[in-house]
Amino acid sequence: MNLLAVERIKLFSTRSPWWCALITLVLAIGFAAIIAGATSADSQLTTSATLFGGTQFGIAVVMVLAALAVTTEYRFNTIRTTFQAVPHRSPALVAKAVVVALVALVIGELAAFGALGLGILMRPNDNLGLHTSQDWMNVAGLGPVFAISAVLAVALGILIRHSAGAIALLLIYYLAVEELVQLIPKIGHTIHEWLPFNVANKFLRGSAVVDGPPPSDSPLSPGWALAYFAGIAIVFLLVALGVAKKRDA
């Protein structure tokens, strides 16, 4: 608990979590307003469509926040003080991942329910709300996906240690690589089915064709998709912890 408190204090002593949280909320709620306003009066706005901004752009911002939580410490050498206080290193890094994941979870839930609430206010006659289990996954599921994405970003931050490199790699992969993989002849589609953010999209949106990006082609059920995504994050974190123990701070 002491390590969690220390990591919380360190995280919120910088401006990055506040700015990233604000940007995520503005993007999520702002895009919900744009989509609600752009949808014609004779069309039905879907719950999934209101979360387009939060899902597509909010994850990227949260991963930047998570990576900076680690790389900033390496940049200013404060990580050395942490490792002197916790020589085994892993407990401190795990505590950091837990704190960042909890912050991302809260941001995700605020963004999701804020976007949905605004959509309901702007389109009171549409069938918006949490009527089915898929609706609940669309909305409440955004927080867990944010949290797991943050753990992945923390792991990458530990491995790379440089802010620019970690952020560039995260954004390039998230925004481009998974889609480009589909262009590989013969095996591209098969590989794409198992890539982490494609699988996470299966948890959030299921298999239904709704407004926004096309649904995931992952063969997993939504529940197993979340477990798979979490498993990848845990594996990356374990690898990062192993690497952190073997090299100089």
Side-chain angles (χ1 to χ4, degrees):
M1 294 302 294
N2 289 335
L3 286 174
L4 292 175
V6 168
E7 293 301 331
R8 174 183 57 80
I9 292 169
K10 286 196 293 185
L11 179 64
F12 286 104
S13 64
T14 63
R15 295 179 181 177
S16 58
W18 303 105
W19 279 110
C20 289
L22 179 62
I23 291 170
T24 302
L25 294 175
V26 169
L27 285 172
I29 299 174
F31 268 91
I34 292 171
I35 292 171
T39 303
S40 60
D42 56 349
S43 299
Q44 285 284 321
L45 181 66
T46 64
T47 299
S48 179
T50 63
L51 302 176
F52 174 81
T55 303
Q56 300 300 309
F57 303 105
I59 290 176
V61 177
V62 163
M63 288 195 297
V64 170
L65 161 63
L68 287 175
V70 180
T71 58
T72 301
E73 285 214 62
Y74 281 103
R75 178 184 176 189
F76 294 105
N77 291 324
T78 56
I79 197 71
R80 293 183 179 179
T81 305
T82 299
F83 289 162
Q84 287 173 353
V86 188
H88 293 295
R89 299 189 179 185
S90 292
L93 295 174
V94 170
K96 183 182 292 294
V98 170
V99 169
V100 173
L102 290 174
V103 172
L105 175 68
V106 172
I107 293 173
E109 297 300 335
L110 290 174
F113 283 97
L116 177 63
L118 183 62
I120 293 173
L121 287 175
M122 294 183 66
R123 306 283 300 225
N125 296 324
D126 288 1
N127 190 30
L128 294 175
L130 305 175
H131 307 300
T132 66
S133 59
Q134 186 58 57
D135 288 338
W136 276 101
M137 283 189 286
N138 289 155
V139 182
L142 192 60
V145 170
F146 271 33
I148 297 169
S149 301
V151 173
L152 272 172
V154 167
L156 190 64
I158 295 170
L159 290 170
I160 295 180
R161 301 194 293 184
H162 296 285
S163 298
I167 292 172
L169 186 57
L170 283 168
L171 294 183
I172 289 171
Y173 179 84
Y174 175 68
L175 297 175
V177 170
E178 289 201 0
E179 293 303 316
L180 293 176
V181 164
Q182 298 183 83
L183 301 179
I184 300 174
K186 297 183 180 180
I187 62 172
H189 178 72
T190 302
I191 296 173
H192 182 260
E193 290 179 346
W194 297 98
L195 294 179
F197 291 102
N198 178 54
V199 175
N201 194 41
K202 180 61 172 287
F203 167 70
L204 283 175
R205 306 180 70 242
S207 301
V209 178
V210 294
D211 297 337
S216 169
D217 56 4
S218 170
L220 298 174
S221 66
W224 280 110
L226 182 66
Y228 177 86
F229 187 44
I232 290 178
I234 292 171
V235 169
F236 268 87
L237 183 60
L238 291 175
V239 171
L241 295 177
V243 171
K245 288 182 179 180
K246 295 180 180 180
R247 67 187 180 190
D248 294 335

Short mmCIF file of all heavy atoms in Angstrom, two decimals, residues 103-128:
data_model
loop_
_atom_site.label_atom_id
_atom_site.label_comp_id
_atom_site.label_asym_id
_atom_site.label_seq_id
_atom_site.Cartn_x
_atom_site.Cartn_y
_atom_site.Cartn_z
N VAL A 103 -6.01 4.78 -12.80
CA VAL A 103 -6.31 6.11 -13.33
C VAL A 103 -6.92 5.99 -14.72
O VAL A 103 -7.91 6.67 -15.04
CB VAL A 103 -5.02 6.97 -13.38
CG1 VAL A 103 -5.27 8.28 -14.12
CG2 VAL A 103 -4.53 7.26 -11.96
N ALA A 104 -6.36 5.13 -15.57
CA ALA A 104 -6.90 4.92 -16.91
C ALA A 104 -8.32 4.37 -16.85
O ALA A 104 -9.18 4.74 -17.67
CB ALA A 104 -5.99 3.98 -17.70
N LEU A 105 -8.57 3.46 -15.91
CA LEU A 105 -9.92 2.90 -15.74
C LEU A 105 -10.93 3.99 -15.45
O LEU A 105 -12.01 4.05 -16.05
CB LEU A 105 -9.91 1.87 -14.61
CG LEU A 105 -11.25 1.26 -14.21
CD1 LEU A 105 -11.79 0.37 -15.33
CD2 LEU A 105 -11.11 0.44 -12.93
N VAL A 106 -10.60 4.88 -14.53
CA VAL A 106 -11.51 5.98 -14.17
C VAL A 106 -11.72 6.91 -15.36
O VAL A 106 -12.86 7.31 -15.67
CB VAL A 106 -10.95 6.76 -12.96
CG1 VAL A 106 -11.79 8.01 -12.70
CG2 VAL A 106 -10.92 5.87 -11.73
N ILE A 107 -10.64 7.24 -16.06
CA ILE A 107 -10.76 8.11 -17.24
C ILE A 107 -11.67 7.47 -18.29
O ILE A 107 -12.53 8.12 -18.89
CB ILE A 107 -9.38 8.41 -17.83
CG1 ILE A 107 -8.55 9.25 -16.87
CG2 ILE A 107 -9.51 9.14 -19.17
CD1 ILE A 107 -7.11 9.45 -17.32
N GLY A 108 -11.47 6.17 -18.50
CA GLY A 108 -12.28 5.47 -19.50
C GLY A 108 -13.76 5.47 -19.16
O GLY A 108 -14.61 5.69 -20.03
N GLU A 109 -14.08 5.22 -17.89
CA GLU A 109 -15.49 5.21 -17.50
C GLU A 109 -16.11 6.60 -17.60
O GLU A 109 -17.25 6.76 -18.06
CB GLU A 109 -15.63 4.67 -16.07
CG GLU A 109 -15.19 3.22 -15.90
CD GLU A 109 -15.97 2.26 -16.77
OE1 GLU A 109 -17.11 2.57 -17.15
OE2 GLU A 109 -15.43 1.18 -17.09
N LEU A 110 -15.37 7.62 -17.18
CA LEU A 110 -15.88 8.99 -17.30
C LEU A 110 -16.11 9.36 -18.76
O LEU A 110 -17.13 9.98 -19.11
CB LEU A 110 -14.90 9.98 -16.65
CG LEU A 110 -14.79 9.94 -15.13
CD1 LEU A 110 -13.68 10.88 -14.66
CD2 LEU A 110 -16.11 10.32 -14.48
N ALA A 111 -15.16 8.99 -19.62
CA ALA A 111 -15.29 9.30 -21.04
C ALA A 111 -16.48 8.58 -21.65
O ALA A 111 -17.27 9.16 -22.41
CB ALA A 111 -14.00 8.92 -21.78
N ALA A 112 -16.63 7.29 -21.32
CA ALA A 112 -17.71 6.49 -21.92
C ALA A 112 -19.08 6.97 -21.48
O ALA A 112 -19.97 7.21 -22.32
CB ALA A 112 -17.52 5.02 -21.55
N PHE A 113 -19.28 7.11 -20.18
CA PHE A 113 -20.59 7.53 -19.70
C PHE A 113 -20.87 9.00 -20.02
O PHE A 113 -22.02 9.38 -20.22
CB PHE A 113 -20.72 7.26 -18.20
CG PHE A 113 -20.95 5.80 -17.88
CD1 PHE A 113 -19.90 4.96 -17.53
CD2 PHE A 113 -22.22 5.26 -17.97
CE1 PHE A 113 -20.12 3.62 -17.25
CE2 PHE A 113 -22.46 3.92 -17.70
CZ PHE A 113 -21.40 3.09 -17.34
N GLY A 114 -19.82 9.82 -20.08
CA GLY A 114 -20.01 11.21 -20.49
C GLY A 114 -20.47 11.30 -21.94
O GLY A 114 -21.38 12.08 -22.27
N ALA A 115 -19.84 10.52 -22.82
CA ALA A 115 -20.23 10.51 -24.24
C ALA A 115 -21.65 10.00 -24.41
O ALA A 115 -22.45 10.57 -25.16
CB ALA A 115 -19.25 9.67 -25.04
N LEU A 116 -21.97 8.92 -23.70
CA LEU A 116 -23.33 8.37 -23.80
C LEU A 116 -24.36 9.36 -23.27
O LEU A 116 -25.42 9.58 -23.88
CB LEU A 116 -23.42 7.05 -23.04
CG LEU A 116 -24.81 6.40 -23.01
CD1 LEU A 116 -25.25 6.02 -24.41
CD2 LEU A 116 -24.82 5.18 -22.10
N GLY A 117 -24.05 9.98 -22.13
CA GLY A 117 -24.99 10.95 -21.55
C GLY A 117 -25.26 12.12 -22.48
O GLY A 117 -26.41 12.56 -22.63
N LEU A 118 -24.21 12.62 -23.12
CA LEU A 118 -24.39 13.72 -24.05
C LEU A 118 -25.21 13.28 -25.26
O LEU A 118 -26.07 14.03 -25.75
CB LEU A 118 -23.03 14.26 -24.50
CG LEU A 118 -23.09 15.47 -25.43
CD1 LEU A 118 -23.76 16.66 -24.73
CD2 LEU A 118 -21.70 15.86 -25.89
N GLY A 119 -24.94 12.05 -25.75
CA GLY A 119 -25.73 11.54 -26.86
C GLY A 119 -27.20 11.45 -26.53
O GLY A 119 -28.06 11.78 -27.35
N ILE A 120 -27.52 11.00 -25.30
CA ILE A 120 -28.92 10.90 -24.88
C ILE A 120 -29.56 12.28 -24.80
O ILE A 120 -30.72 12.48 -25.19
CB ILE A 120 -29.01 10.17 -23.53
CG1 ILE A 120 -28.60 8.70 -23.70
CG2 ILE A 120 -30.42 10.26 -22.95
CD1 ILE A 120 -28.49 7.94 -22.40
N LEU A 121 -28.80 13.25 -24.29
CA LEU A 121 -29.34 14.62 -24.20
C LEU A 121 -29.61 15.21 -25.58
O LEU A 121 -30.62 15.90 -25.78
CB LEU A 121 -28.36 15.51 -23.44
CG LEU A 121 -28.26 15.30 -21.92
CD1 LEU A 121 -27.16 16.18 -21.33
CD2 LEU A 121 -29.60 15.62 -21.25
N MET A 122 -28.71 14.96 -26.52
CA MET A 122 -28.86 15.54 -27.85
C MET A 122 -29.86 14.78 -28.71
O MET A 122 -30.47 15.36 -29.61
CB MET A 122 -27.50 15.58 -28.55
CG MET A 122 -26.49 16.53 -27.90
SD MET A 122 -24.92 16.60 -28.81
CE MET A 122 -25.44 17.35 -30.36
N ARG A 123 -30.02 13.46 -28.44
CA ARG A 123 -30.93 12.64 -29.24
C ARG A 123 -31.88 11.88 -28.32
O ARG A 123 -31.83 10.66 -28.21
CB ARG A 123 -30.12 11.66 -30.10
CG ARG A 123 -29.05 12.28 -30.97
CD ARG A 123 -29.64 12.93 -32.16
NE ARG A 123 -30.36 11.97 -32.98
CZ ARG A 123 -30.27 11.89 -34.30
NH1 ARG A 123 -29.48 12.71 -34.95
NH2 ARG A 123 -30.97 11.01 -34.98
N PRO A 124 -32.77 12.58 -27.63
CA PRO A 124 -33.64 11.92 -26.64
C PRO A 124 -34.61 10.92 -27.25
O PRO A 124 -35.10 10.03 -26.54
CB PRO A 124 -34.39 13.10 -25.99
CG PRO A 124 -34.35 14.18 -27.03
CD PRO A 124 -33.03 14.03 -27.72
N ASN A 125 -34.89 11.04 -28.54
CA ASN A 125 -35.85 10.13 -29.16
C ASN A 125 -35.21 8.87 -29.74
O ASN A 125 -35.91 7.97 -30.19
CB ASN A 125 -36.61 10.87 -30.28
CG ASN A 125 -37.45 12.01 -29.74
OD1 ASN A 125 -38.01 11.91 -28.65
ND2 ASN A 125 -37.53 13.10 -30.50
N ASP A 126 -33.88 8.81 -29.73
CA ASP A 126 -33.20 7.62 -30.24
C ASP A 126 -33.12 6.57 -29.13
O ASP A 126 -33.24 6.88 -27.95
CB ASP A 126 -31.79 7.98 -30.72
CG ASP A 126 -31.82 8.77 -32.02
OD1 ASP A 126 -32.92 9.04 -32.51
OD2 ASP A 126 -30.75 9.12 -32.53
N ASN A 127 -32.89 5.36 -29.55
CA ASN A 127 -32.87 4.24 -28.60
C ASN A 127 -31.49 4.08 -27.97
O ASN A 127 -30.86 3.02 -28.04
CB ASN A 127 -33.29 2.95 -29.31
CG ASN A 127 -33.54 1.82 -28.32
OD1 ASN A 127 -33.94 2.06 -27.19
ND2 ASN A 127 -33.27 0.60 -28.76
N LEU A 128 -31.02 5.16 -27.34
CA LEU A 128 -29.72 5.11 -26.68
C LEU A 128 -29.90 4.66 -25.24
O LEU A 128 -30.88 4.98 -24.59
CB LEU A 128 -29.06 6.49 -26.71
CG LEU A 128 -28.65 7.02 -28.09
CD1 LEU A 128 -28.13 8.44 -27.97
CD2 LEU A 128 -27.58 6.13 -28.71
#
